[in-house]
Amino acid sequence: MHAILIALAMSATTGGVQQTTVRVEAENGQLIGPIVASTRPGFSGKGYVTGFTKEGDKVVMKFTAEPGIYEAFIRYSAPGGKKGYELGVNGHRTSGMFAPTADVFATASAGKVELAAGTNSVEIDKGWGYYDIDYVEFVPAKIDRSLKSLPLNLVDPNAAASAKALFGKLAKTYGSQTLSGQYNDDDSNYIAGSTHRIPAIYGADFMDYSPSRVERNPAPKDLTENAIAKAKSGQLVTMSWHWNAPTDLIDKMLKDKQGKDVDASWYKGFYTNATTFDLSAAIDDPSSKNYKLLLRDIDAIAIQLKKFSDANVPVLWRPLHEADGGWFWWGAKGPQPFVKLWRLMFHRLTEVHKLHNLIWVFTVGDNPAWYPGDAYVDVLGVDAYPSDHSDTLGSTWDRLKKEFDGKKMLAISEFGGVPDIPRMHQFGVEWAYFVSWPGQIKPPGTSISDLSRIYQSKTVKNREQG
Ligand code: CA
């Protein structure tokens, strides 16, 4: 049964239409899997919905509203720890994170959504599951497009003119256009062939220059040189580094606790589960063998970065990404050793190797303990693989903008697919740039018409043609 419940709490006027706050109780929705409960006090209406445990579990709620932009708030409980959720509004899906609660209800903003005249549909899917939903509330919202101007000095006090010029260029379009970007050649060529546009940013990864890989397999012949050639052709360059652990690679097939096969071969050595390398012990003992191996590896990558510097090419440098996920060894021991490693790398590259062509891009999560500090980061990048490529990442944008507006530039440093930049701009979500990860931008994941629509949009800035 689809019940409709509308609460009038506040109102706003958009384009002459009176919008009002709409609260939709989960227990009145169509339940596919979950059940209604009322044991935990503090709920609204007649209860809440619990038991998101199986794939496909969801609650679907139909309701009417005045058309316009609203901010969606979810009343939830997540006593078992933080939980990723999936919200769908009129067919557009977004994912977000419920902060852990005690055995009580809390409210999470899911960002801005568009409601239509007449009947609307909202659904909450299993996501990580094991959360309870009391209601979803839609509060009339305005799009706030304003961005404070950014300080143009980079965190490297001796930053090269080329790096400052690149940052200035990004700052100039920040808020009005989003620069396009793509990792690796095959996908970049596919974009050029399909859309007649060339991404503004070319991305590549230093993984195969990691010394513990070079011990087993020759280093790439011309990966760095190829990226420099892209820069000379007018693209900007971003480099990441899947850093194979310096030593202590397991280098064999393993079984995990559930008895599942884990490939812990040497070439998976950037993953936590493929190495016993202990960052915490290494970073805390500068006299240790493993500390010296960390430096050896940073020095090996410095050789590559120096080639960019010698060619006067600035680099959007994105090392040590997704640390808070814990799946890479540099994030396996918690935030403190990670922050020490980030700072060690910063000082080593800028002071010892005198690399001043770097713009430091930190992959930001939802826990501030991982942040290396304002003095060590130029750009905050979000890595996102939403189930719906039209996800605006609006709740993430709102959260980061609140904290970093006027301080740090925000970007999408990795995306699974091509983000729908025109749609994001419609909602006032205005990342400086995006870079798509390889192997994600072809059908069926992304249609050629979507790819073209996005790459040919006025909200997207590509490499200048010539
Ligand atoms: Ca309720």
Side-chain angles (χ1 to χ4, degrees):
M1 192 190 77
H2 302 167
I4 293 170
L5 199 142
I6 299 174
L8 309 180
M10 61 173 287
S11 64
T13 304
T14 308
V17 180
Q18 191 75 6
Q19 288 175 252
T20 51
T21 292
V22 182
R23 180 181 294 185
V24 188
E25 297 287 348
E27 65 274 15
N28 294 337
Q30 181 192 6
L31 303 178
I32 299 159
I35 55 167
V36 175
S38 56
T39 47
R40 181 187 305 109
F43 56 79
S44 158
K46 294 187 175 132
Y48 55 91
V49 166
T50 187
F52 294 85
T53 55
K54 303 184 301 296
E55 284 315 308
D57 281 0
K58 60 178 166 183
V59 52
V60 182
M61 297 155 267
K62 307 274 186 188
F63 63 101
T64 58
E66 295 300 338
I69 304 290
Y70 294 75
E71 184 168 358
F73 293 92
I74 307 173
R75 187 78 172 166
Y76 73 98
S77 184
K82 76 172 186 179
K83 300 286 182 222
Y85 66 84
E86 292 265 335
L87 172 78
V89 178
N90 295 333
H92 285 290
R93 300 165 64 82
T94 189
S95 48
M97 194 67 72
F98 289 142
T101 62
D103 196 16
V104 294
F105 290 98
T107 304
S109 168
K112 294 187 179 70
V113 299
E114 186 170 23
L115 298 184
T119 303
N120 291 270
S121 175
V122 56
E123 68 177 70
I124 295 178
D125 300 346
K126 176 178 160 277
W128 297 8
Y130 302 96
Y131 47 66
D132 299 340
I133 304 297
D134 183 9
Y135 60 78
V136 184
E137 190 162 75
F138 298 92
V139 177
K142 283 211 182 83
I143 302 291
D144 175 15
R145 295 177 188 283
S146 63
L147 282 171
K148 295 189 186 119
S149 57
L150 287 168
L152 291 179
N153 52 314
L154 295 169
V155 289
D156 176 359
N158 298 309
S162 65
K164 288 185 199 167
L166 167 53
F167 193 72
K169 191 174 171 172
L170 291 171
K172 209 171 156 190
T173 48
Y174 188 41
S176 60
Q177 283 185 303
T178 299
L179 272 69
S180 58
Q182 177 63 50
Y183 272 95
N184 289 16
D185 290 273
D186 287 351
D187 290 294
S188 300
N189 294 337
Y190 170 77
I191 290 164
S194 306
T195 70
H196 310 292
R197 301 290 188 278
I198 295 166
I201 300 173
Y202 174 81
D205 192 289
F206 287 134
M207 175 169 74
D208 287 328
Y209 292 103
S210 303
S212 71
R213 296 175 87 88
V214 175
E215 283 165 11
R216 295 163 168 87
N217 210 34
K221 280 208 293 283
D222 56 3
L223 185 143
T224 296
E225 289 73 12
N226 179 44
I228 291 170
K230 301 289 184 192
K232 295 297 177 190
S233 81
Q235 285 184 293
L236 311 175
V237 172
T238 186
M239 295 302 299
S240 55
W241 180 20
H242 280 81
W243 182 353
N244 230 61
T247 186
D248 301 334
L249 304 180
I250 293 169
D251 198 16
K252 61 181 180 191
M253 295 296 293
L254 291 178
K255 298 267 186 212
D256 69 11
K257 282 176 199 147
Q258 284 81 39
K260 248 173 61 182
D261 285 330
V262 175
D263 184 357
S265 302
W266 64 266
Y267 50 82
K268 300 279 188 185
F270 43 87
Y271 282 121
T272 298
N273 63 13
T275 178
T276 58
F277 188 83
D278 184 342
L279 175 62
S280 184
I283 201 87
D284 282 338
D285 181 3
S287 69
S288 68
K289 175 178 137 285
N290 283 357
Y291 186 94
K292 292 183 175 115
L293 289 175
L294 290 170
L295 295 183
R296 176 202 68 177
D297 285 14
I298 294 169
D299 293 351
I301 298 309
I303 292 170
Q304 301 308 317
L305 290 169
K306 177 81 164 39
K307 295 178 187 172
F308 289 91
S309 176
D310 289 347
N312 202 30
V313 172
V315 175
L316 291 160
W317 171 230
R318 189 180 73 106
L320 303 172
H321 62 296
E322 299 173 15
D324 64 331
W327 43 78
F328 298 132
W329 61 265
W330 51 88
K333 300 291 175 182
Q336 277 132 338
F338 163 77
V339 169
K340 284 182 192 165
L341 180 61
W342 180 282
R343 293 178 180 182
L344 174 70
M345 182 186 287
F346 180 85
H347 290 297
R348 189 84 181 168
L349 292 181
T350 58
E351 289 161 17
V352 177
H353 293 287
K354 305 204 181 322
L355 290 164
H356 301 305
N357 60 326
L358 308 178
I359 292 174
W360 288 77
V361 183
F362 167 69
T363 315
V364 64
D366 55 8
N367 179 350
W370 294 86
Y371 185 49
D374 285 342
Y376 295 89
V377 172
D378 294 307
V379 177
L380 298 179
V382 171
D383 285 14
Y385 287 78
S387 62
D388 179 344
H389 292 178
S390 76
D391 190 336
T392 63
L393 310 178
S395 60
T396 305
W397 170 264
D398 288 346
R399 174 172 60 81
L400 293 174
K401 183 179 167 185
K402 203 167 166 186
E403 191 175 348
F404 292 102
D405 191 18
K407 294 180 193 156
K408 300 291 173 188
M409 186 180 281
L410 306 177
I412 301 175
S413 40
E414 231 182 83
F415 195 87
V418 183
D420 194 335
I421 300 300
R423 181 172 152 77
M424 287 178 172
H425 278 252
Q426 186 198 337
F427 285 90
V429 176
E430 302 178 314
W431 309 100
Y433 63 84
F434 74 85
V435 195
S436 297
W437 197 243
Q440 312 265 338
I441 60 158
K442 292 181 184 174
T446 304
S447 67
I448 290 180
S449 65
D450 268 343
L451 186 73
S452 297
R453 176 179 60 81
I454 294 166
Y455 263 88
Q456 294 172 5
S457 162
K458 286 191 176 69
T459 58
V460 172
K461 189 173 170 62
N462 300 308
R463 195 201 83 175
E464 272 146 41
Q465 310 267 15

